[in-house]
Amino acid sequence: MRSSKRLWAFTALAVAGPMAAVPAAVPASAAPAQRPATALAADPPVEAGPWTSYSPGFAVQQRGCGKVSGGTFQLTCSTASGDQRAERRYDTYTGGTRQFQGYFKITSMGGTRISLKQTFQDPQGPYFMLAVERGGRLYAVHGGTTIATGATVGTTVRVNTVHEVGKTHKTYINGSLKRTESSPGGSFYDKFGSYRTNSGQGPITVEWSNIQFWRK
């Protein structure tokens, strides 16, 4: 009998394979953390430095049908009038050279002509507005000049603005210089999100990520 039992045990082990080959259960808490699928590695600043990174404060602005949740900015209505806004307004700066960098991805767009990024002169008004039309054309609101194309739903776009107060304001799209204009002196601040221009309307959902600021 002992011999039969040993033979049966050997046969079962040969079929099932060695026990050591079965991995032990790993607690969920031990699994490595993963970044969200939409996360991107941040790029270095455009243009030569030395640049110093800094983190200005900001206030969230939600007006009309605008909604902000973390890095997601929505206009939920198709209203073609009134103040429809979902934005971050950053601290005011004066003098020196400031660089903004951020990545946006439009995840849905039923409207058109929505401002995504502003350099605002305080208190005069928006000095530069980067907007998008349905179809992916990026343009300067003041003057209507095309800045880039290809900002279609689901495409991630990198935006840099380099502002030397009193001299120039430059706009880069995906690392390429697309627009240079003269800049007055004074006080300014950065804004981004989604904002209905005078000729625009929602709805739109935009995700912004990897926001960085530098100065020199």
Side-chain angles (χ1 to χ4, degrees):
M1 285 297 290
R2 288 182 183 177
S3 176
S4 299
K5 288 181 178 179
R6 281 198 297 270
L7 178 60
W8 179 88
F10 177 80
T11 304
L13 182 61
V15 172
M19 292 299 291
V22 179
V26 179
S29 58
Q34 295 183 351
R35 295 190 302 175
T38 55
L40 295 171
D43 286 290
V46 297
E47 300 195 0
W51 293 99
T52 300
S53 178
Y54 75 110
S55 299
F58 66 85
V60 172
Q61 298 180 334
Q62 301 175 99
R63 298 177 189 166
C65 64
K67 295 183 178 180
V68 179
S69 177
T72 301
F73 301 80
Q74 291 181 291
L75 300 182
T76 60
C77 62
S78 59
T79 304
S81 62
D83 189 356
Q84 313 301 330
R85 179 192 308 268
E87 293 183 300
R88 285 186 189 178
R89 189 270 202 212
Y90 280 82
D91 291 343
T92 301
Y93 61 86
T94 56
T97 302
R98 311 288 174 133
Q99 181 169 173
F100 162 89
Q101 178 173 276
Y103 299 77
F104 74 82
K105 180 172 70 173
I106 299 169
T107 59
S108 67
M109 187 175 188
T112 190
R113 302 183 71 82
I114 301 297
S115 175
L116 302 174
K117 165 68 174 68
Q118 298 186 46
T119 301
F120 199 96
Q121 187 173 12
D122 191 14
Q124 287 84 347
Y127 157 70
F128 170 74
M129 299 174 73
L130 175 69
V132 64
E133 289 181 334
R134 188 186 301 120
R137 183 177 81 102
L138 294 172
Y139 67 99
V141 172
H142 301 105
T145 305
T146 297
I147 293 177
T149 58
T152 52
V153 172
T155 301
T156 299
V157 179
R158 173 189 175 195
V159 178
N160 293 72
T161 55
V162 180
H163 188 197
E164 187 173 0
V165 178
K167 292 188 177 182
T168 59
H169 182 280
K170 300 177 183 178
T171 304
Y172 291 78
I173 301 296
N174 293 329
S176 297
L177 178 61
K178 297 296 184 179
R179 180 181 172 90
T180 302
E181 56 193 306
S182 60
S183 166
S187 299
F188 297 84
Y189 55 83
D190 289 296
K191 303 183 78 174
F192 66 83
S194 58
Y195 167 70
R196 188 193 72 82
T197 66
N198 286 338
S199 58
Q201 65 185 85
I204 188 172
T205 301
V206 184
E207 295 176 353
W208 279 91
S209 60
N210 283 340
I211 307 303
Q212 292 185 280
F213 294 88
W214 296 276
R215 60 189 170 193
K216 65 176 181 178

